[in-house]
Amino acid sequence: NAGVTQTPKFRILKIGQSMTLQCAQDMNHNYMYWYRQDPGMGLKLIYYSVGAGITDKGEVPNGYNVSRSTTEDFPLRLELAAPSQTSVYFCASSYSGGAGGNTIYFGEGSWLTVV
Amino acid sequence: GENVEQHPSTLSVQEGDSAVIKCTYSDSASNYFPWYKQELGKRPQLIIDIRSNVGEKKDQRIAVTLNKTAKHFSLHITETQPEDSAVYFCAFGGGTSYGKLTFGQGTILTVHP
């Protein structure tokens, strides 16, 4: 199993450009997440999804959009990139988050620099 | 919103010593408490987790303890080795947060040979 796969791994964007970070998981997990990690900091939740067609905002959603048309894919869209969006982005998934909580598995990360 | 305080932010130990990292969380309904290890340039990876119906869990050299009354939990690493050097994150979730995890700010652990 590939687990959680993210592309691209590295990207440099100019201010005002837009791009999509792709994320796919092959573990049949219903929950998927996007976190960002700024240098020397913890992980902050951007958006999450509890299943196909359902998405919700996390702690830091401004400047981002997501969609979840299938169980496997959860792309993150950056509109009008700003230097404050320079960060490492991690896609993650878990099985049936529910009220019991479950292990979250992370992708390898996407390093994004906005100049 | 939910938050978690993690201490210390940096921890330096000699090989063979023990290391303890503590976290205090805000949501009393939380029932899932994982610890993640992140090596430089890599993804966070789960090393141990505990649920609210258990007070302590051990896996070889690592253990986690949970005090739900005080809303804090701790990671204990014994007989530390240089390869334990990494950033460690606590997190909490479950309960009203369902699958979402809230992460601490991380502890940079350095184990000197």
Side-chain angles (χ1 to χ4, degrees), chain A residues 2-80:
Chain A
V4 180
T5 304
Q6 293 179 235
T7 57
K9 190 160 179 120
F10 300 98
R11 182 73 186 268
I12 298 175
L13 273 183
K14 293 185 178 179
I15 293 172
Q17 287 185 321
S18 299
M19 74 161 297
T20 299
L21 297 175
Q22 301 292 343
C23 177
Q25 54 90 12
D26 62 0
M27 297 177 281
N28 202 30
H29 286 167
N30 50 345
Y31 275 51
M32 294 188 75
Y33 317 83
W34 276 105
Y35 284 89
R36 61 175 285 174
Q37 184 176 33
D38 297 333
M41 303 291 283
L43 297 118
K44 294 191 182 295
L45 183 65
I46 305 171
Y47 270 96
Y48 67 102
S49 168
V50 302
I54 306 169
T55 63
D56 206 349
K57 296 177 181 179
E59 186 181 355
V60 290
N62 291 345
Y64 307 94
N65 275 300
V66 293
S67 60
R68 183 99 182 268
S69 57
T70 66
T71 299
E72 293 79 19
D73 301 300
F74 190 42
L76 178 71
R77 178 84 176 160
L78 280 75
E79 304 282 2
L80 299 174

Side-chain angles (χ1 to χ4, degrees), chain B residues 71-88:
Chain B
K71 290 193 287 186
H72 66 71
F73 56 113
S74 300
L75 176 70
H76 305 254
I77 306 174
T78 59
E79 300 171 27
T80 54
Q81 301 167 1
E83 51 265 38
D84 293 330
S85 297
V87 182
Y88 291 81

Side-chain angles (χ1 to χ4, degrees), chain B residues 19-34:
Chain B
V20 180
I21 304 169
K22 298 181 179 179
C23 285
T24 304
Y25 61 97
S26 58
D27 185 2
S28 57
S30 299
N31 54 26
Y32 178 60
F33 307 91

Side-chain angles (χ1 to χ4, degrees), chain A residues 4 31 33 35 37 40-45 48 57 90 94 97-109 111, chain B residues 2 29 31-32 36 38 41-46 49 51 89 93-106:
Chain A
V4 180
Y31 275 51
Y33 317 83
Y35 284 89
Q37 184 176 33
M41 303 291 283
L43 297 118
K44 294 191 182 295
L45 183 65
Y48 67 102
K57 296 177 181 179
F90 287 99
S94 69
N102 268 306
T103 303
I104 287 182
Y105 297 89
F106 288 89
E108 292 187 320
W111 274 253
Chain B
E2 296 91 353
N31 54 26
Y32 178 60
Y36 283 80
Q38 186 177 31
K42 300 289 183 66
R43 75 184 94 185
Q45 294 199 299
L46 179 76
D49 58 13
R51 298 189 185 273
F89 292 98
T96 56
S97 296
Y98 288 83
K100 295 179 293 179
L101 290 181
T102 299
F103 285 84
Q105 292 300 302

